[in-house]
Amino acid sequence: MLQNDQSLQEVIGDSGPKAVFNEDEKTLTLIDEYIADEFFNECSAEDITAARRKMRPQPVLPFNGKVVLTEKNFGRVPCVYIETTKDHAIPVEVQRKMYRQKSFDHVFSVDADHAPFFSQTEDLTRYLHDIS
């Protein structure tokens, strides 16, 4: 979990996904040859193909923009984290570093890649049900 005045880029550094920056549009486009390994390394070929078709350039601000969090607002909502242990986009070590900086009500662990909604649907659904 990012802390106040921190960006995702600061936390993950060079260990994040491989992408090309478009300065004019202020977007990042994932490099196709890395997408399967970085995001969908536990998914079926069918899921990877379907996901690739939906990939679009992403605004750069969510990656390098600093978040603003306050105890008054963010600090009053219940917090749960679901780590994905086989994630290559945000490695589990980086996830743990982020979530250990904040107190969470629960931390769940899914033996999944960056896309547990494809690769570990049942586990993710069970945790989401437990959370609700």
Side-chain angles (χ1 to χ4, degrees):
M1 178 59 75
L2 297 178
Q3 299 300 302
N4 188 48
D5 201 36
Q6 192 176 43
S7 74
L8 183 59
Q9 184 64 44
E10 290 172 343
V11 174
I12 65 173
D14 293 333
S15 67
K18 314 269 185 308
V20 176
F21 176 58
N22 180 322
E23 192 162 346
D24 293 336
E25 296 181 12
K26 304 291 189 247
T27 59
L28 293 171
T29 300
L30 297 171
I31 300 173
D32 190 63
E33 66 189 86
Y34 298 105
I35 290 173
D37 182 59
E38 290 182 339
F39 291 90
F40 308 109
N41 48 295
E42 294 292 311
C43 292
S44 70
E46 295 164 351
D47 286 338
I48 293 170
T49 300
R52 269 193 166 125
R53 276 191 240 125
K54 296 177 182 182
M55 292 287 182
R56 300 290 181 269
Q58 301 293 308
V60 73
L61 187 60
F63 298 101
N64 67 6
K66 295 180 184 274
V67 298
V68 177
L69 304 172
T70 65
E71 276 302 311
K72 179 182 176 190
N73 292 315
F74 184 75
R76 67 183 176 156
V77 297
C79 293
V80 176
Y81 192 92
I82 300 175
E83 70 175 14
T84 49
T85 61
K86 294 183 177 179
D87 191 338
H88 292 178
I90 303 177
V92 69
E93 297 81 18
V94 175
Q95 293 176 59
R96 289 176 179 163
K97 178 181 175 185
M98 288 191 298
Y99 75 65
R100 286 182 179 141
Q101 295 178 28
K102 169 141 182 43
S103 177
F104 283 85
D105 298 314
H106 298 285
V107 175
F108 297 97
S109 185
V110 179
D111 198 25
D113 53 22
H114 196 73
F117 41 87
F118 286 137
S119 62
Q120 291 294 332
T121 308
E122 289 182 21
D123 286 346
L124 180 62
T125 302
R126 186 175 67 251
Y127 290 139
L128 292 173
H129 182 266
D130 290 349
I131 292 165
S132 67

